[in-house]
Amino acid sequence: MDQGSAAGSGGTFISLSDTEQRCYSGLYALCQPDSSGKPAAGKVAELFRASQLPAETLHQVTEACGAKRLGYFGCGQFYVALKLMAAAQAGLPVRLESIAGELPLPVFVGITNELEMHYPNQPLTNESQSHILGSVAGSAPRPPADRPVLRHPDTSMDKQEAWSPPQSPGISPPRSPSAYRSYPYGAQRNGTDTLLAYDAKVPGRPSIPQENSSPSYYSVKLQPEQPVITRVASVERLVERVEVDYSDDPWRITEEQREYYTNQFRSLQPDLSALIMGTVAKNFFTKSKLPIPELSHIWELSDVDKDGALTFTEFCTAFHLIVARKNGYPLPETLPATLRPGFVEAGVVTAPPSEATLPLIVFDENMMPGANQLKILFGSVDLQVTSRPGVTAKQEARDESRKPEFSPKRIPEPHEKPIQHVSTLKPDSPQELDANMKSRTRPRSYSSTSIDDAMKKVEEPPTPPPRPQKTHSRASSLDLNKLFQQSGQGSRPSQHSLSAKSGWLPPPPALPPRPPATQIFSFLPGSEKSSQKAVQQPNFADFSKFREEQESSVRGLSTEDLTPPKSESTVVHQGHAPQKPVRRKLHPESQSATPPSATPYSAATLTKSSQRPPPKQKREIQMAIRKNRETNAVLTRLNSELQQQLKVVHRERVTLESQLELLRPVAST
Amino acid sequence: FIRFVVLINYPLYIRSVPTQGELKFHYTVHTSLDVVEEKISGVGKALADQRELYLGLLYPTEDYKVYGYVTNSKVKFVIVVDSSNTSLRDNEIRSMFRKLHNSFTDVMCNPFYNPGDPIQSKAFDSIVSTMMVQAC
């Protein structure tokens, strides 16, 4: 907003920004050889003429600022006049109201302007420079609608500063051509700009930017010999002020940066032609730890289509701005031309610099453009991507070639260079390069998806391990199974597996319906032809007991039952202590039951078998085997279910036990 | 002079040319809010779809005219202009409101902008500056 002091003597309250103040004071110093404080009329007139405004405008300005009244340009009038001229140059009506707001600095052809430069200082041509200076200083909000003029200076400034750092040696020739050079870049050059540029070239009066309004510079004025001196001065200045810069414009994205941005984009959004949503981008850019207003400004600059989402180019732009800001470059007011999305496309048409090709390649890959273009782009990019030193060398070479050749030839130059690249590449089997690039880029595009797939696949396996088999390792079941399979009915493997998994928790199948067990019980006693059956019977008996116990334990756990048996169960492989009580009852019974029962049963079976004739025996045995097998299966399943029940019961028991423990001391005391 | 205010019951953005005498304008704007509320309360008429976004001349006082505009999200734009400034026609005011609304939407699109924050967008400022200059 408006800041700074008001210009006093004119009686009008015009607020000046700091930059404007500085500029005007510089200009004032320029025009003021008079010790009395009045600027020399001649100088002032020259200055006014230098602003390139039509005569009547100048008259208006003079009138409006009140100099006519006073007869001379006092400081206040001078400032007002300058502001009015700025307004006039901006296209605003020459009225005092126009200058109440903030305006860019007035542009004076051939007059040295001192300004605060955001970017590295520029020794360059008067015209473009003054444009630049004017536009930079006008960093206060400029009415954008009618400001193509200003926009161009801005971009030209950016470009120029781009080339200015590397320019140190070869400044002299490019002075005016540099202005011209920058113009072809912008597609929106006004006629006025070019006119002014030509004006600049013609008189060959460079303007020197200054940080301090040292009169010495000012004294070197609009003479043709000025260029030499100014060049020298500007070179010095440039040398002083050149920041550490690559051969590239800080606002131009190198291909390394582009690659990095591409990867970052992919991390947010695998599809390069898609958009990153605003919130996603916000979270991402917030990580850069820039203050929110700056991020907001960056967003405004980069979201060109104002859709609340970032396309790939917009994303690159935003990222680049963030990078620049983090490196200390202040944010521009408008998007530098090199970062505009239009730039890239224009680059395509006009044989772009290499960096611009990379995103095109990526896009092209996705969108499958014409093969020729693809090849060319691939080729040039590949050339640069492959050899870094080669790249920088090329860039430098290009830049250096650009430096001295700031002639109109520069336009064809970018054409030539990439074309040269292409031509050199084409003999080098561009298809190979295609393949290289494709292989390089495609994996990039696919890698994310493949990684995603791989990740998905990885995720799938960690599903809970498949349910263990029905066989399990409960000690009781082991024993029982052992008893079952002592005769080796073919479930040896299961036995082994069971023994192997002795300490292994059984899978908890659904609770078995009780009836089957009873059925089994009822069934089994009916088939007692073999020793196994005999063995089974006690098991069934045990089972029934077991079941009863289980039920009883489920209903009402009695700790007495639980505590004693812990000592026992050596035979049983147990994972759970609580199973011991059940086992205890089971096992003693089984152990006690089976031996005594086994013997009578075996005796019985033996006697029975001895009684039966052989063929019947065979058939019976076979039937018995079959039945036993079925029974086995059923019992196994039952066992597992019972184990599950046992677990549940055990849990309950534990809880009750703990409660009891809590109550016990209370009861005892 | 001219004065732009964007508010949701409290000012989000105020811009005036010239910058003096703001207190009076604050008062004016706040009182105009009452009129705005009255207009948008619908009075039982056709509701949201038919409601005009542009509220027109809220009330003419002796010194200045107040124009109002409300968005669908209840963000209100108020423009106060000098009565002596007769060059501003109704359709011009409408266009100004439209531009305001558009740039406000752009501000909203910025994910870094939290609705309810004062508007600090430079783009928005520049658009308002343009309009101010045009109006003067």
Side-chain angles (χ1 to χ4, degrees):
Chain A
M1 297 297 285
D2 293 339
Q3 20 159 323
S5 56
S9 53
T12 52
F13 283 92
I14 310 291
S15 30
L16 299 174
S17 68
D18 288 344
T19 55
E20 289 176 359
Q21 278 237 307
R22 232 169 290 137
C23 167
Y24 295 167
S25 57
L27 289 169
Y28 192 65
L30 176 69
C31 298
Q32 180 201 337
D34 205 345
S35 57
S36 66
K38 298 188 231 170
K43 295 277 191 322
V44 174
E46 249 180 318
L47 184 71
F48 281 11
R49 250 179 278 123
S51 69
Q52 302 256 317
L53 290 170
E56 59 267 21
T57 316
L58 291 175
H59 286 312
Q60 282 179 331
V61 167
T62 325
E63 264 185 15
C65 74
K68 284 257 168 86
R69 276 185 270 126
L70 285 179
Y72 66 90
F73 279 96
C75 184
Q77 281 79 38
F78 189 77
Y79 285 4
V80 172
L82 289 173
K83 261 216 127 153
L84 285 168
M85 281 194 284
Q89 283 171 345
L92 304 172
V94 180
R95 267 190 282 153
L96 282 177
E97 295 90 352
S98 321
I99 60 178
E102 296 213 335
L103 290 167
L105 288 179
V107 173
F108 297 104
V109 175
I111 303 293
T112 61
N113 263 342
E114 69 93 21
L115 268 181
E116 173 186 322
M117 291 294 299
H118 288 296
Y119 305 98
N121 208 350
Q122 308 177 19
L124 302 181
T125 55
N126 42 10
E127 218 26 65
S128 43
Q129 200 172 22
S130 43
H131 275 297
I132 291 163
L133 298 178
S135 54
V136 166
S139 57
R142 281 194 301 269
D146 50 353
R147 294 310 97 116
V149 177
L150 298 173
R151 191 167 272 264
H152 301 167
D154 201 17
T155 59
S156 68
M157 160 194 68
D158 293 334
K159 287 200 190 62
Q160 287 197 335
E161 80 169 6
W163 308 118
S164 65
Q167 260 179 34
S168 24
I171 286 184
S172 33
R175 201 49 77 68
S176 29
S178 66
Y180 184 77
R181 157 185 70 87
S182 53
Y183 288 119
Y185 260 82
Q188 320 130 1
R189 292 300 164 203
N190 260 352
T192 52
D193 281 355
T194 46
L195 274 179
L196 292 169
Y198 286 118
D199 284 342
K201 280 201 289 187
V202 165
R205 288 172 283 164
S207 58
I208 307 173
Q210 294 185 6
E211 294 311 300
N212 341 306
S213 52
S214 47
S216 58
Y217 286 125
Y218 281 134
S219 59
V220 180
K221 291 198 61 195
L222 323 168
Q223 307 313 316
E225 62 265 24
Q226 212 180 354
V228 179
I229 304 168
T230 52
R231 260 182 234 138
V232 170
S234 51
V235 169
E236 293 169 14
R237 186 148 287 280
L238 180 67
V239 169
E240 297 168 36
R241 301 266 340 262
V242 161
E243 301 180 19
V244 178
D245 207 340
Y246 317 96
S247 51
D248 269 343
D249 183 353
W251 301 116
R252 187 187 296 277
I253 304 178
T254 66
E255 73 269 12
E256 306 143 22
Q257 292 175 325
R258 186 79 71 169
E259 268 186 57
Y260 180 67
Y261 301 157
T262 315
N263 293 336
Q264 293 295 320
F265 189 93
R266 285 180 198 277
S267 74
L268 293 176
Q269 167 71 270
D271 184 9
L272 271 178
S273 60
L275 299 171
I276 291 185
M277 286 300 118
T279 41
V280 172
K282 174 185 176 181
N283 295 334
F284 181 73
F285 288 134
T286 312
K287 290 190 224 162
S288 69
K289 296 199 181 63
L290 283 181
I292 297 287
E294 294 195 8
L295 288 172
S296 175
H297 185 56
I298 288 176
W299 176 278
E300 272 180 15
L301 288 179
S302 19
D303 190 9
V304 184
D305 48 6
K306 301 280 180 217
D307 56 356
L310 297 179
T311 65
F312 177 66
T313 30
E314 290 173 349
F315 176 82
C316 284
T317 310
F319 211 119
H320 196 72
L321 286 169
I322 288 179
V323 166
R325 184 78 187 101
K326 291 216 84 109
N327 288 334
Y329 287 104
L331 289 180
E333 289 306 311
T334 56
L335 204 57
T338 55
L339 286 178
R340 290 215 199 102
F343 175 69
V344 173
E345 281 122 31
V348 176
V349 177
T350 61
S354 55
E355 308 89 75
T357 58
L358 191 57
L360 287 173
I361 285 178
V362 181
F363 278 125
D364 290 344
E365 262 211 335
N366 294 341
M367 303 178 208
M368 305 307 286
N372 286 341
Q373 200 179 23
L374 198 63
K375 276 185 189 170
I376 290 172
L377 296 174
F378 274 179
S380 53
V381 172
D382 182 55
L383 181 73
Q384 303 185 351
V385 171
T386 44
S387 57
R388 282 302 147 86
V391 166
T392 50
K394 279 197 184 62
Q395 283 183 350
E396 282 160 16
R398 211 180 314 122
D399 294 338
E400 285 187 54
S401 59
R402 278 177 183 148
K403 292 180 220 167
E405 296 161 358
F406 289 149
S407 52
K409 169 170 93 155
R410 192 177 177 287
I411 305 167
E413 197 186 299
H415 294 272
E416 287 165 20
K417 283 263 169 182
I419 292 173
Q420 284 169 11
H421 291 320
V422 171
S423 58
T424 53
L425 288 171
K426 275 192 174 161
D428 297 343
S429 66
Q431 283 161 354
E432 189 185 292
L433 293 171
D434 275 353
N436 285 348
M437 279 311 299
K438 276 183 182 150
S439 61
R440 212 174 297 117
T441 52
R442 278 206 192 280
R444 251 194 296 152
S445 61
Y446 291 156
S447 63
S448 59
T449 53
S450 63
I451 286 172
D452 289 344
D453 291 337
M455 281 182 56
K456 283 174 198 157
K457 284 172 192 162
V458 166
E459 286 168 8
E460 284 159 15
T463 53
R467 297 249 158 204
Q469 304 80 354
K470 295 291 182 181
T471 61
H472 42 270
S473 61
R474 283 302 113 213
S476 60
S477 61
L478 261 180
D479 281 336
L480 294 177
N481 280 333
K482 271 185 192 163
L483 293 170
F484 277 140
Q485 290 137 18
Q486 270 172 5
S487 61
Q489 205 181 13
S491 46
R492 280 287 159 98
S494 62
Q495 181 187 4
H496 288 310
S497 62
L498 281 173
S499 55
K501 299 173 193 167
S502 57
W504 185 59
L505 286 176
L511 282 178
R514 298 269 166 100
T518 56
Q519 285 170 11
I520 291 167
F521 291 151
S522 59
F523 172 76
L524 281 170
S527 61
E528 34 177 287
K529 298 280 171 76
S530 63
S531 57
Q532 288 181 355
K533 286 180 200 164
V535 170
Q536 284 172 4
Q537 279 179 358
N539 288 335
F540 289 133
D542 294 338
F543 255 130
S544 57
K545 282 208 175 126
F546 177 71
R547 192 163 285 268
E548 286 165 5
E549 274 182 37
Q550 207 177 28
E551 290 172 10
S552 65
S553 63
V554 166
R555 279 167 211 147
L557 279 178
S558 55
T559 53
E560 305 135 19
D561 288 338
L562 302 177
T563 46
K566 280 178 190 170
S567 55
E568 299 194 27
S569 75
T570 52
V571 181
V572 184
H573 305 269
Q574 292 172 5
H576 283 308
Q579 288 173 355
K580 290 173 191 172
V582 185
R583 296 251 175 73
R584 172 190 67 88
K585 292 199 177 165
L586 188 62
H587 286 302
E589 287 160 6
S590 64
Q591 285 164 3
S592 57
T594 46
S597 58
T599 45
Y601 280 130
S602 55
T605 52
L606 281 169
T607 54
K608 284 180 189 171
S609 60
S610 62
Q611 288 169 4
R612 297 279 168 80
K616 273 192 182 177
Q617 195 179 16
K618 229 184 188 179
R619 218 184 309 127
E620 281 163 4
I621 288 172
Q622 282 169 0
M623 275 180 61
I625 288 171
R626 213 180 310 127
K627 283 173 191 168
N628 280 332
R629 279 199 190 127
E630 290 162 0
T631 324
N632 231 356
V634 173
L635 282 176
T636 314
R637 188 159 178 273
L638 180 68
N639 208 1
S640 58
E641 288 162 350
L642 287 175
Q643 289 303 322
Q644 170 66 2
Q645 278 182 339
L646 188 64
K647 269 180 75 180
V648 170
V649 168
H650 165 54
R651 260 182 238 129
E652 287 179 4
R653 195 196 69 133
V654 169
T655 50
L656 286 170
E657 256 188 326
S658 58
Q659 285 173 8
L660 191 72
E661 289 293 333
L662 287 173
L663 294 171
R664 210 179 266 261
V666 176
S668 61
T669 57
Chain B
F1 58 78
I2 188 167
R3 179 178 170 77
F4 296 88
V5 182
V6 179
L7 51 149
I8 314 173
N9 298 328
Y10 60 87
L12 294 182
Y13 182 84
I14 302 176
R15 190 82 176 277
S16 319
V17 174
T19 50
Q20 314 90 304
E22 294 211 22
L23 203 57
K24 185 169 67 157
F25 299 137
H26 277 283
Y27 168 71
T28 316
V29 166
H30 278 278
T31 51
S32 64
L33 268 185
D34 291 336
V35 187
V36 171
E37 285 296 326
E38 174 201 329
K39 292 209 179 205
I40 66 175
S41 65
V43 196
K45 286 191 290 187
L47 298 176
D49 46 85
Q50 287 306 319
R51 184 155 31 101
E52 265 282 315
L53 294 181
Y54 173 67
L55 302 172
L57 188 58
L58 293 180
Y59 64 88
T61 69
E62 73 280 7
D63 285 340
Y64 37 82
K65 304 183 251 186
V66 182
Y67 296 93
Y69 182 96
V70 67
T71 70
N72 287 325
S73 51
K74 298 290 194 291
V75 178
K76 301 159 191 77
F77 301 104
V78 174
I79 298 183
V80 181
V81 291
D82 191 11
S83 287
S84 57
N85 192 347
T86 53
S87 62
L88 281 178
R89 295 200 181 75
D90 193 64
N91 50 1
E92 288 173 10
I93 303 276
R94 277 183 197 266
S95 71
M96 291 209 292
F97 275 128
R98 224 174 307 125
K99 280 192 219 167
L100 268 180
H101 196 175
N102 287 336
S103 35
F104 182 73
T105 328
D106 291 339
V107 169
M108 280 290 158
C109 280
N110 190 332
F112 297 103
Y113 172 76
N114 300 317
D117 287 352
I119 297 175
Q120 284 153 346
S121 151
K122 293 200 180 76
F124 191 80
D125 285 342
S126 55
I127 294 204
V128 175
S129 307
T130 325
M131 291 199 291
M132 288 199 309
V133 163
Q134 282 171 353
C136 290

